[in-house]
Amino acid sequence: MFSIDIQYVKGVGPKRAELFSKLGIDSVGALLQFYPRAYIDLQQTLPLSQAPFDAPCAVLGRVVRKLPPARLGGGKTLYKLLATDFTQDFAVVFWQNRFPYESLKEGQDYLFYGKFGGTLTQREINSPLFLPEGERRDLLPVYPLTKGLTSKAVATAVENALAAYGEEIPDPLPAPVQAEYQLCRAGYAVKNIHRPETAQAAQTARRRLIFEELLVLQLGLGSLKKKGREHTDLQIPAADLGPFLQALPYSLTGAQLRCIGEIGGDMAGAVPMNRLLQGDVGSGKTVVAAAAVYRAAQAGVQSALMAPTEILAAQHHRTLEELLRPLGLTVALLTGSMKAAEKRAVLAGLQDGSTDLVVGTHALLGEAVSFAELGLVITDEQHRFGVNQRGALGDKGRAPHVLVMSATPIPRTLALIIYGDLDISVLDEKPAGRREIETFAVGYGRYQRALNFAEKQIAAGHQVYVVCPLIEEGESELESVSAVRDQMAAYLPHRRIGLLHGKMKAREKEAVMAAFSAGELDALCSTTVVEVGVDVPNANLMMIHNADRFGLSALHQLRGRVGRSDCQSYCILLSKSGGEGARKRLQAMCESSDGFALANLDLEMRGPGDFFGAAQHGLPQLKIADLLTDRTTLAETSAVARQLLDEDATLRRWPLLRQAVGRLFSSISENGFN
Ligand code: ADP
Ligand code: MG
């Protein structure tokens, strides 16, 4: 019943159906899940004389007279009515829309809602929402507006759908759960979220719908976790890490040793590891991964590490080869842009088991890739991969151990949801000797001085990153980064200044990165392709153009490209004077170097909708729940999900609930890469 095409809803013609489908609403079920953003309290009516000019409000009025439709140029028609609030007349205007004009009756009273413009003596309202006075409900739903679809159009479609289906709405929530948490029935909830009789009813409906949505989310994540929890016979015994530790050019931090221990413990178990390694930028995640690879190789099984971009894959390959080759391990690189012959050689090494570790991009997921014995799968910067892809690489082995590395610091409670299927290790300590990165937010008036400062760093033997988003509206990223590079080259003609952007071929990008890494370039002007993961310890200045255009987490990631050695590092945030929000963000950057604190602030300022946009983590888009503000419900549903899955992981007793989980997770986009 719920998959009924939206076109069958009364009043939704093909044109409107198309608009709805742009919002992903193609069925009655989806329409009923297009929830109001707020309600207008119609008890709060104003006399016209008090109606503001710049904000909507409700006014009670009587239609006095319909004026004849006026045909204007361009085939447009204006429908106008005269009305009165009994003290003052006003005009009601509809452009090109005969239907409301005809449905309004002379001599009848209506509640008009909208922005009352016009002049002080002749007020006028354009395309208002209106309700006949007798039929008045107190709360009028307001739907998110999109092009071509007004809140009113949505409300009408929803009303018609509700009228057709009444309370015959299937209820996926198990009755015992409803009873225990005092939740209303689905039919009541759907009706009252759209046309509540009272504010209390709307609240009751909301609570139930939020509960349902979060429960379905947690069931989905929970069953992912169960799936990964089969038995494995790849029990990797603790190896002597002595040779590995001795070969390192530094000694590990306490946090690194602790995480290596936690990972080792998992790998020795009969259940495959499924662990998230979280650590702020520069906390040294790579070497922790290397220790796990070393351990796997000692047990004679292979490892694979997947990175989101070719640059990162190439860099990990270099770093890990440096760490592991002296210890006798064979490390290979596999990316999409490699020549066929090179690829074949790598694939052969994986198949015959002579390669211990392969580092690559999602090319590793290719059909031709097979392993002699894949025992450990690592993904870096996990938030760039979709939830669905998390398991894909693991399918190339027999229940291999899985390690996920993420540099997006998020509060633990939220990490538990987003990575609900993973155990978590946290690198909460930076390598010794690191100094705070001195951070300055400056206007373009001081650009010259910033360039002089860059010159000073280069003269002292350091290297400099320059990152540009768009400089001018309408300009391409490429144009703007090239312009910045040329300008800088003109100012510092004796310096070697490289250029890196997303339009370059993978090979060219790699060559530039390698040159920068080897110290053959003094400065690197780039788009945000250097955003995550790149590691060149000798670079000590990060200059960010139009820094006000970035979110806090992105700025922190970018800044994390420097401060990777024991010399003093700097970050210069250039911006034109921006809005209040931007100013606050830049200020926070100057004051804090704690990724977790900044992430929390980012969450507060941007709201979880943006922070947890599907592109960030691959979770399905939520329709009504809010991961931040609905934390109590989150905890409740988490307990219920665990209980239901423990009873029966396939949810056979609750087919409607199982269907809901299936629907939610099939809607996750497959292209989690960005
Ligand atoms: P991230 O956690 O951001 O991925 P990396 O693994 O890239 O960090 O490490 C950052 C830098 O710190 C690298 O240059 C690495 O060699 C260095 N490093 C890692 N661990 C230590 C340590 N214990 N002592 C000193 N330097 C370290
Ligand atoms: Mg990294």
Side-chain angles (χ1 to χ4, degrees):
M1 164 182 118
F2 259 48
S3 55
I4 288 174
D5 196 299
I6 189 171
Q7 282 209 44
Y8 292 100
V9 175
K10 195 175 136 220
V12 179
K15 222 168 166 181
R16 205 160 265 173
E18 200 185 312
L19 292 170
F20 273 117
S21 86
K22 279 197 188 127
L23 295 171
I25 299 173
D26 53 7
S27 67
V28 171
L31 174 62
L32 293 182
Q33 282 181 29
F34 190 64
Y35 300 118
R37 172 175 293 164
Y39 302 92
I40 302 161
D41 187 348
L42 294 182
Q43 282 187 324
Q44 312 275 338
T45 59
L46 291 177
L48 189 56
S49 58
Q50 284 175 32
F53 279 83
D54 52 356
C57 70
V59 167
L60 186 61
R62 176 170 298 171
V63 175
V64 178
R65 190 156 54 91
K66 291 191 191 186
L67 302 180
R71 299 201 199 288
L72 306 176
K76 300 221 188 287
T77 311
L78 177 78
Y79 299 92
K80 194 166 178 176
L81 308 93
L82 292 183
T84 176
D85 83 330
F86 311 106
T87 57
Q88 189 184 350
D89 289 350
F90 61 97
V92 181
V93 175
F94 299 96
W95 287 88
Q96 285 294 85
N97 194 352
R98 189 179 189 94
F99 178 74
Y101 170 83
E102 287 189 339
S103 63
L104 286 164
K105 306 257 179 302
E106 286 179 7
Q108 288 221 12
D109 294 344
Y110 297 89
L111 201 57
F112 293 96
Y113 179 83
K115 226 187 282 180
F116 287 81
T119 63
L120 259 184
T121 49
Q122 182 55 62
R123 303 294 295 263
E124 176 174 308
I125 184 162
N126 257 303
S127 308
L129 297 171
F130 58 88
L131 288 172
E133 161 64 354
E135 237 180 69
R136 218 170 115 181
R137 275 191 320 274
D138 289 339
L139 295 170
L140 193 66
V142 183
Y143 295 88
L145 293 181
T146 42
K147 221 184 188 146
L149 267 186
T150 58
S151 178
K152 195 166 46 168
V154 177
T156 310
V158 167
E159 294 258 328
N160 290 335
L162 280 173
Y165 297 103
E167 304 214 356
E168 302 275 300
I169 283 168
D171 196 332
L173 273 190
V177 174
Q178 282 184 41
E180 184 175 349
Y181 291 91
Q182 301 184 1
L183 302 165
C184 64
R185 304 274 310 154
Y188 180 90
V190 172
K191 182 162 166 276
N192 280 281
I193 198 77
H194 290 294
R195 29 177 316 170
E197 297 289 343
T198 61
Q200 181 57 42
Q203 202 44 44
T204 305
R206 243 187 100 72
R207 153 132 175 98
R208 136 88 204 207
L209 293 169
I210 289 171
F211 193 101
E212 179 179 327
E213 183 165 54
L214 291 177
L215 178 63
V216 168
L217 175 69
Q218 306 242 27
L219 285 169
L221 292 171
S223 50
L224 283 179
K225 180 171 183 159
K226 289 261 174 209
K227 224 173 27 191
R229 290 291 152 115
E230 323 119 34
H231 172 83
T232 182
D233 27 86
L234 290 166
Q235 296 173 28
I236 298 173
D240 174 17
L241 283 180
F244 177 81
L245 297 176
Q246 275 147 33
L248 287 177
Y250 42 75
S251 51
L252 294 177
T253 64
Q256 283 171 321
L257 287 170
R258 190 191 69 239
C259 291
I260 289 173
E262 287 166 359
I263 290 165
D266 285 0
M267 287 167 65
V271 172
M273 168 166 72
N274 214 8
R275 185 170 285 275
L276 171 70
L277 175 62
Q278 235 199 30
D280 206 348
V281 279
S283 57
K285 291 182 284 294
T286 318
V287 68
V288 173
V293 171
Y294 178 76
R295 208 186 280 259
Q298 295 311 299
V301 298
Q302 296 165 291
S303 303
L305 189 154
M306 184 160 74
T309 64
E310 300 223 349
I311 290 180
L312 281 178
Q315 175 190 283
H316 274 317
H317 175 251
R318 268 199 309 275
T319 315
L320 291 165
E321 188 162 52
E322 244 166 64
L323 288 171
L324 296 171
R325 202 175 38 192
L327 299 165
L329 272 66
T330 315
V331 182
L333 175 69
L334 185 73
T335 62
S337 66
M338 277 165 59
K339 294 214 182 74
E342 290 174 302
K343 268 190 208 164
R344 265 198 303 277
V346 172
L347 293 179
L350 295 179
Q351 206 151 20
D352 67 20
S354 58
T355 299
D356 297 297
L357 166 66
V358 62
V359 179
T361 54
H362 55 284
L364 289 173
L365 301 175
E367 242 169 70
V369 181
S370 69
F371 294 82
E373 184 70 279
L374 179 61
L376 173 64
V377 166
I378 305 170
T379 53
D380 191 17
E381 314 299 351
Q382 166 72 20
H383 61 291
R384 297 227 168 180
F385 297 104
V387 170
N388 285 353
Q389 282 161 330
R390 206 183 276 170
L393 189 51
D395 291 343
K396 299 207 175 273
R398 301 177 295 146
H401 298 280
V402 173
L403 180 66
V404 169
M405 300 196 285
S406 170
T408 306
I410 48 176
R412 192 179 168 81
T413 46
L414 293 174
L416 283 174
I417 299 149
I418 292 184
Y419 301 106
D421 53 331
L422 305 177
D423 300 310
I424 301 181
S425 290
V426 182
L427 277 178
D428 48 10
E429 184 184 347
K430 292 222 172 158
R434 295 281 163 81
R435 303 188 215 181
E436 290 273 297
I437 302 166
E438 278 185 39
T439 304
F440 310 94
V442 302
Y444 275 93
R446 286 157 77 184
Y447 184 34
Q448 205 78 275
R449 278 176 66 183
L451 286 176
N452 291 339
F453 186 74
E455 165 60 23
K456 221 171 92 187
Q457 297 310 314
I458 296 170
H462 293 297
Q463 290 162 281
V464 174
Y465 290 102
V466 180
V467 173
C468 320
L470 305 185
I471 304 291
E472 295 296 338
E473 215 62 67
E475 196 176 26
S476 79
E477 214 166 351
L478 174 54
E479 283 171 82
S480 80
V481 73
S482 309
V484 164
R485 195 213 83 99
D486 293 347
Q487 200 180 25
M488 196 166 166
Y491 194 72
L492 307 173
H494 52 298
R495 297 302 180 193
R496 301 159 300 177
I497 301 173
L499 179 66
L500 187 69
H501 57 80
K503 294 257 156 57
M504 283 160 65
K505 295 217 176 72
R507 261 171 198 287
E508 300 167 343
K509 282 194 248 179
E510 244 166 72
V512 171
M513 240 3 266
F516 188 66
S517 187
E520 291 156 14
L521 290 171
D522 300 307
L524 183 62
C525 283
S526 101
T527 56
T528 50
V529 290
V530 296
E531 181 181 340
V532 283
V534 170
D535 182 42
V536 180
N538 187 50
N540 79 331
L541 170 60
M542 166 61 69
M543 186 145 65
I544 304 176
H545 282 273
N546 285 11
D548 51 307
R549 305 234 180 138
F550 291 100
L552 266 177
S553 292
L555 287 174
H556 181 64
Q557 277 291 332
L558 286 170
R559 180 170 62 179
R561 298 309 109 221
V562 299
R564 302 186 147 248
S565 69
D566 50 14
C567 70
Q568 181 60 54
S569 290
Y570 306 91
C571 177
I572 299 179
L573 305 168
L574 287 158
S575 67
K576 302 200 185 98
S577 53
E580 175 68 7
R583 206 190 50 73
K584 259 172 84 178
R585 282 201 301 279
L586 299 184
Q587 184 68 21
M589 282 296 294
C590 297
E591 284 164 9
S592 175
S593 58
D594 178 344
F596 283 87
L598 289 171
N600 272 329
L601 194 65
D602 208 16
L603 260 170
E604 270 168 38
M605 293 178 62
R606 281 201 288 166
D610 275 356
F611 194 86
F612 293 109
Q616 283 280 326
H617 55 66
L619 278 187
Q621 199 73 49
L622 297 177
K623 295 193 166 72
I624 189 165
D626 177 328
L627 292 177
L628 257 202
T629 52
D630 297 324
R631 271 189 254 186
T632 318
T633 313
L634 205 49
E636 289 170 347
T637 53
S638 154
V640 173
R642 215 171 312 121
Q643 194 190 333
L644 290 175
L645 289 174
D646 281 348
E647 281 166 14
D648 170 17
T650 65
L651 297 176
R652 211 164 336 173
R653 256 184 87 194
W654 316 110
L656 288 175
L657 195 54
R658 188 169 70 179
Q659 275 173 28
V661 175
R663 264 199 310 273
L664 184 68
F665 278 79
S666 69
S667 72
I668 302 174
S669 76
E670 286 299 326
N671 48 8
F673 299 98
N674 51 14

